[in-house]
Amino acid sequence: MNPTDAPLTRIFKPVDLQTGLFIAGVLALAWVLVLAIERVLPWLADVVPGRLRRFILPAIPQLRLAVIVGTLATVAPLLVEPTPQNLMVLLGTAGLAIGFAFKDYVASLIAGVVAIYERPYRPGDWVKIGDAYGEVQSIGLRSLRLVTPDDTVVTIPHAHLWTANIFNENDGARTLQCAVDFYLHPRHDAAAVRQKLHDVALTSPFLALSRPVTVVLAEKPWGTHYRLKAYPIDARDQFAFRSDLTLRGKTALARLGVEPAGVPAAALP
Amino acid sequence: MRAETTAAIDPASLTALSGALLEGVACRERTQALTAALDTRLGAWASGEEEAPAARVIVSAPHCATPAALVEWARDRGWTLLDPPTTEEIMSGGEAWIAKLSRSDGANCVLPHLERCFLRHAEGLDLCRRLLAWLPARPGRTLVGCNSWAWAFLGATLGAEAALPVPLALAPFDAAALQRWFTELLNSCPGQATVFRGSASGRLILASNHGAPPIAVGAEPEPSDTFLTHLAAGSRGIAGVAWAIWRHSLRVSTQSTPGEQTRASAGADPATSIWVKPWSELNLPAPPPGTRQSHRFIFQALLIHGGLSADTLDTLLPISGALLRQSLHHLEQEHLIERDGHHWQVTRTAYPAVRQSLINEEFLVGPL
């Protein structure tokens, strides 16, 4: 017998036909379960009432992780002789290979696990990571998929979690704050304009009436900057809501006889 | 003595009632009872025996006869009826309209429709704002009627509850109240003796009692079918909605029942048998899952304002004219809305489902 073969054969258990079939069955079942989770739950989230959607979507990555962990816990003891020496050899070998070849991939995998429990983002959240802003569509093991307002899908590795700031606009809630800006000529009745912009928000059917409406104003050298802040019922309507507020606001301000400001290009955000 | 239970009828033999027969067994509701209830509750306040507040509000569910009852109550007591402002007066801020009301010189007034004193538009709130500031301070008593959806909206936006505290509302109708009311309607309708039975159970639900004295409260005979219990719950106790669903559930058979045949052969006048579909088979109109946001906006606007014309909806909602008209047509086809003159409104039979649909999507809804 070759002495170098002895430790390797003692690490792995002999696998007979029955065990092999069982392992194949477990892997197949795990694959079917993951597929079902990734297909059924998003469909269910679209047909149930809107207020339940934010509870169903975040469960998808958690359930998938549970299936994978359960599969590994079932299959590993059937393949590996769990002696301390064997585990040390296996982990050492795996660590060496992964460390060199899959450093970034593993960083993203570990960040993905951390993201599930720290929840910097979850499916249904509107987040800004780097230059990308959009709704988190799904969270995979290595990356998340984001859909931008222009219907572009952006895939972002979880490893960004270690270094980038993540701006989450709704953090699991159904709504988020929307802000609309108006730039007005300085000669106007500010109290009347503030009241009118407040009414503009109250009259939009997109508005979540249970959330506050705020009008903030700031005097600038070229005029007055008004910022109308309000919450739509559903975060997915944020763009239609902002458009509606802008249209209503422009019409109302025109009726008040308020002139828009001539804002210098350098002063624009 | 009518049998409490008879054999269930073959569903295939049932047809909807003709308009004439429907009017003969479930004719239009009247407001006398409501007016009497208002007198009982508000008599002391109206005559000045009770202290403040000078302005009181009656909040009513959609499709309730309360506004008509308020008009009748005002005429009976000689109070001034305040006409709601026009759309132009609302959109111009309402100063002229309020000034016109101020000339009432301390007379007692009734404003039956507060929901017609504003529009959910940036120019449409100032009139109601001025009205809510003026009403509590005016000399004389003012009784205001307001639908529950408008009340919820005005409370969330203009602080209406501070101006008109302690709103009153009609108690909801339970099964016993529905049975008493339907029996009174039935006895007052032109028509022969009528028996209402469940079509699946054959059990008695209601029977006419022409010529007999009215049944005392609490002395109603217990119906053996549970349809009225389901109706009270399903209609949220709203009389107008329950009445519409009741009419929707009535069927007549093309075959005579054994009881009718027996009475006919004995030479007695046969009572008309009307069959009531089981609650679970009523198929009331309801918004489907995945209803468009534009349709929900239409429902909410119609309920807040108590009905609107297509032109006003076009002004208030962020929906293009063509899409709006297409949506109105589609919702009418689904029996979710109907036209009442120039105004559109949510149908009575669809109201409970429409309300629940808006609650599910976290829209502001009326408490009734």
Side-chain angles (χ1 to χ4, degrees), chain B residues 41 53 55-59 151 161 164-169:
Chain B
R41 182 63 182 84
R56 301 207 67 166
V57 61
I58 308 277
V59 176
W151 184 249
E161 281 155 4
L164 298 169
V166 197
L168 297 175

Side-chain angles (χ1 to χ4, degrees), chain B residues 285-288 291-292 294-299 302 313 319 323-338 344-347 350 354:
Chain B
T291 292
R292 284 190 216 166
S294 57
H295 293 177
R296 292 192 198 105
F297 289 167
I298 290 171
F299 292 143
L302 293 180
L313 278 170
I319 307 171
L323 179 59
L324 175 65
R325 275 153 182 80
Q326 187 184 27
S327 300
L328 291 174
H329 175 72
H330 172 77
L331 294 176
E332 187 182 25
Q333 295 293 304
E334 297 293 316
H335 305 290
L336 295 169
I337 64 174
E338 63 188 355
W344 291 93
Q345 59 183 6
V346 173
T347 60
V354 165

Side-chain angles (χ1 to χ4, degrees), chain A residues 57-72:
Chain A
L57 290 179
I60 295 171
Q62 293 166 2
L63 288 172
R64 187 176 48 229
L65 185 65
V67 167
I68 291 170
V69 168
T71 305
L72 284 173

Side-chain angles (χ1 to χ4, degrees), chain B residues 302-325:
Chain B
L302 293 180
L303 287 165
I304 284 176
H305 293 92
L308 288 169
S309 66
D311 289 340
T312 309
L313 278 170
D314 196 25
T315 305
L316 301 187
L317 297 181
I319 307 171
S320 71
L323 179 59
L324 175 65
R325 275 153 182 80

Side-chain angles (χ1 to χ4, degrees), chain A residues 108-187:
Chain A
S108 286
L109 284 180
I110 294 171
V113 174
V114 170
I116 288 172
Y117 295 102
E118 273 193 5
R119 296 178 139 192
Y121 41 71
R122 66 205 90 180
D125 282 354
W126 287 80
V127 299
K128 187 170 184 327
I129 303 175
D131 293 332
Y133 172 73
E135 183 182 8
V136 176
Q137 195 180 54
S138 63
I139 297 180
L141 280 179
R142 185 197 71 85
S143 61
L144 66 110
R145 282 163 62 93
L146 200 98
V147 179
T148 70
D150 296 327
D151 210 23
T152 302
V153 176
V154 181
T155 303
I156 303 174
H158 290 305
H160 276 273
L161 186 65
W162 304 131
T163 53
N165 292 329
I166 297 168
F167 299 87
N168 191 326
E169 298 225 342
N170 57 322
D171 198 27
R174 190 175 176 198
T175 185
L176 48 74
Q177 189 185 76
C178 293
V180 173
D181 297 295
F182 298 92
Y183 306 96
L184 304 182
H185 191 279
R187 288 214 180 92

